Amino acid sequence: MALKIVLLAGDGTGPEVMREGVKVLKAVESAYGLSFELTPYPCGGQHYLDTGEEWPDSAFEACKAADAILLGAVGIPEARLPNGDLAGAGVIFGLRFGLDLYANVRPTKLYPNVRHKVHDSFKQVWEPGKVDFVIVRENTEGLYTPARGFLSRGGVDELAVDSRVITRKGAERVIRYAFELSRSRKGAPGDGKSRVTCVDKSNVVAGDRLFRNVFDEVATRYPGIAKDYAYIDAFLQWLVRSPEAYDVAVAPNEFGDIATDLAAVLQGGMGMAAGGNIGDAHGMFEPVHGSSPKHAGKDEVNPMAMILAVQMMLDWLGRRRQEQALREAAAAVEKAVVDVLKAGKVLTYDLGGTAKCSQVGTAIASRVKAAK
Ligand code: IPM
Ligand code: MG
């Protein structure tokens, strides 16, 4: 039976990288005897300007009924809702909150032949293999809780309030996810030890104290995994200095948002960073980069983040459905990316090459096919 996948290409470079993701999915289909029913829906800021809605209601229903969702990127600076919010963000939050995708899973892995984006003098410090950790970001509460607003007097905004909500349930399930993930990995590259780092600001903030207390409770169920703590400010410093010390880190929503952009620097930039928004019943996968309007329409951005999101989706589907072919296909996609990187001939500008986005997609898709 065909697996139902909803495609939300969205704005800017979203449609370009989505095309390459689909190319790889088609290659997987023919090589691994799998069948995908791909259904695209329009969405995003441009769609809002054209139609007055961020996405059709039927798109959310289709996402709910799908086996998995792939998202490109949403948002263009000129498209704003009447309340000032970025038009298109409702798609991301509609899915994260509406489908209860509580774990935002963002792997940071420095692949061979990719240079991290810190100043060149650091070039020799990190070899491939030394950066291989995952940040698991809480995805349904924290500072993203929609209890917020402005106090206006006479049409002038005088005061703004955002509520940061941390619940036991929200903390417990994402922390459990992080421990389970650590159990399935090989540990931190530095010492091979399985370790989960609780990233918070529990020295000051009440919600973070709750988050850390729940972390301690969950940790007792995983005696084989080392527990580790870091305040968010110090964590960012240590992450850049010693990325090899980390296996899995778990953080409240807004800290995870910030930390994962920084982490992308360690893996060669946003063009390499993929993420999964995962709940108990649904999964949505996306490149972490946004719509990058200045690069849009030029066929020049790196599609690897999207292709690695496809790889995460296949692996997630494979584990969930206990289908070996899907997991093998996921491994083949990652290997094809690594082979293209090692060969070093078909790379986009961000990795020092001159190839087009579509050429990279084609190179990866043909290696997926050839490997079988
Ligand atoms: C991300 C993005 C989003 C977020 C934006 C686009 C709303 O930065 O996925 O990290 O803040 O979560
Ligand atoms: Mg972000």
Side-chain angles (χ1 to χ4, degrees), residues 106 137 257 260-261 288:
R106 296 185 163 175
R137 161 185 178 190
D257 177 45
T260 50
D261 271 27
V288 180

Side-chain angles (χ1 to χ4, degrees), residues 74 86 89 92-93 96 104 106 137 139 144 253 256-257 260-261 277 286-288 290:
V74 287
L86 190 71
I92 298 184
F93 296 124
R96 289 182 185 168
N104 193 329
R106 296 185 163 175
R137 161 185 178 190
N139 215 26
Y144 283 65
N253 203 342
D257 177 45
T260 50
D261 271 27
N277 297 254
E286 57 177 344
V288 180

Side-chain angles (χ1 to χ4, degrees), residues 58-135:
S58 57
F60 177 72
E61 291 308 317
C63 288
K64 217 166 155 182
D67 292 295
I69 305 149
L70 259 189
L71 179 86
V74 287
I76 48 174
E78 61 272 28
R80 296 264 161 198
L81 301 182
N83 69 0
D85 287 355
L86 190 71
V91 175
I92 298 184
F93 296 124
L95 291 170
R96 289 182 185 168
F97 298 150
L99 299 181
D100 209 12
L101 308 176
Y102 58 80
N104 193 329
V105 182
R106 296 185 163 175
T108 302
K109 198 165 173 180
L110 182 64
Y111 285 111
N113 216 15
V114 179
R115 282 170 45 185
H116 60 75
K117 297 274 182 181
V118 186
H119 189 279
D120 274 357
S121 62
F122 287 85
K123 177 157 72 185
Q124 281 102 24
V125 181
W126 305 318
E127 308 135 40
K130 289 274 168 123
V131 179
D132 185 354
F133 60 86
V134 184
I135 295 178

Side-chain angles (χ1 to χ4, degrees), residues 96-216:
R96 289 182 185 168
F97 298 150
L99 299 181
D100 209 12
L101 308 176
Y102 58 80
N104 193 329
V105 182
R106 296 185 163 175
T108 302
K109 198 165 173 180
L110 182 64
Y111 285 111
N113 216 15
V114 179
R115 282 170 45 185
H116 60 75
K117 297 274 182 181
V118 186
H119 189 279
D120 274 357
S121 62
F122 287 85
K123 177 157 72 185
Q124 281 102 24
V125 181
W126 305 318
E127 308 135 40
K130 289 274 168 123
V131 179
D132 185 354
F133 60 86
V134 184
I135 295 178
V136 181
R137 161 185 178 190
E138 201 293 320
N139 215 26
T140 59
E141 54 184 41
L143 207 48
Y144 283 65
T145 308
R148 64 171 78 97
F150 292 89
L151 172 65
S152 305
R153 296 190 186 101
V156 178
D157 291 338
E158 295 279 359
L159 179 147
V161 183
D162 296 280
S163 317
R164 182 170 183 270
V165 174
I166 305 283
T167 66
R168 171 171 289 277
K169 176 181 172 176
E172 204 272 341
R173 60 190 187 174
V174 76
I175 292 166
R176 187 168 22 87
Y177 190 97
F179 276 94
E180 288 295 330
L181 180 63
S182 172
R183 191 142 83 168
S184 73
R185 287 170 47 87
K186 294 198 287 279
D191 58 7
K193 288 211 177 103
S194 294
R195 177 176 295 112
V196 179
T197 304
C198 181
V199 178
D200 60 49
K201 193 72 190 174
S202 57
N203 49 343
V204 181
V205 182
D208 292 60
R209 218 168 302 149
L210 176 61
F211 194 84
R212 190 179 282 205
N213 289 343
V214 174
F215 175 85
D216 283 335

